[in-house]
Amino acid sequence: MQASRIAALQGMPIFGGIRADVLAAFVEAAATVALAQGEFFFREGDKAESMFVLESGEVAILKQWAGEPHLLGQLGAGDCFGEMALLDLFPRSASVLALVPCTAIELSTARLYKLYETHLEQFALIQMNIARELSRRLRAADERLFRTQIGADDPKAAWAY
């Protein structure tokens, strides 16, 4: 199971180029979270100290406005969420709801710091991969905002989350 899990992680953008031995140690120390449909990984405003890599299932990213949740997007197996917590340590900017039963690996800021202490080059590569993912999402958000501002027919057409 461990070898297939490591191979799956290496195929995900955030872990691209990370050595198998580093991922094995990283995952071994990480928590695995299993949620039922309708449960939240976290809610907007919660303290943020980890990110999640979705191994199975599908989640909705929700943002509150005027007391109502609004769907920002959906993610599936192989996607990550909560990664901003590893960079800025601010409270959660959105909620993540399990749409179906889900399993995810939880990677804490503390665990990432251990990686910094032991494998600086691999730590830097993960940080760079996170930055690339955030940049990709920012570009998609910019495109959606632009389409909305110009009155394009389908502002969600550019959603690439």
Side-chain angles (χ1 to χ4, degrees):
M1 174 66 174
Q2 181 81 351
S4 63
R5 195 176 200 191
I6 298 305
L9 289 173
Q10 286 178 317
M12 296 175 187
I14 198 162
F15 295 115
I18 303 300
R19 295 190 333 244
D21 63 313
V22 171
L23 273 177
F26 201 57
V27 168
E28 189 174 303
T32 299
V33 178
L35 294 183
Q37 178 181 351
E39 293 184 313
F40 283 87
F41 278 92
F42 52 79
R43 292 180 187 267
E44 186 176 347
D46 286 354
K47 186 175 182 180
E49 297 179 323
S50 62
M51 66 164 282
F52 295 84
V53 178
L54 197 58
E55 289 190 292
S56 67
E58 188 175 331
V59 299
I61 312 300
L62 305 169
K63 184 91 173 143
Q64 290 288 321
W65 180 257
E68 295 292 322
H70 294 271
L71 180 67
L72 294 179
Q74 291 180 241
L75 301 173
D79 289 323
C80 64
F81 52 90
E83 67 283 344
M84 290 179 355
L86 300 182
L87 300 176
D88 67 14
L89 303 176
F90 283 103
R92 300 291 186 186
S93 63
S95 299
V96 178
L97 174 69
L99 296 173
V100 298
C102 294
T103 53
I105 300 170
E106 183 175 14
L107 304 173
S108 69
T109 54
R111 187 67 212 138
L112 194 61
Y113 184 73
K114 291 284 185 195
L115 184 64
Y116 165 78
E117 293 178 321
T118 58
H119 296 91
L120 184 59
E121 181 181 303
Q122 297 291 285
F123 167 83
L125 187 52
I126 287 175
Q127 293 288 73
M128 191 167 45
N129 288 345
I130 290 170
R132 286 181 178 138
E133 181 65 15
L134 291 173
S135 178
R136 184 184 68 76
R137 291 179 184 181
L138 179 60
R139 286 178 186 274
D142 286 348
E143 182 67 18
R144 286 192 325 274
L145 177 61
F146 172 73
R147 288 175 175 268
T148 299
Q149 288 178 336
I150 65 167
D153 292 334
D154 185 7
K156 293 183 180 181
W159 184 252
Y161 209 88

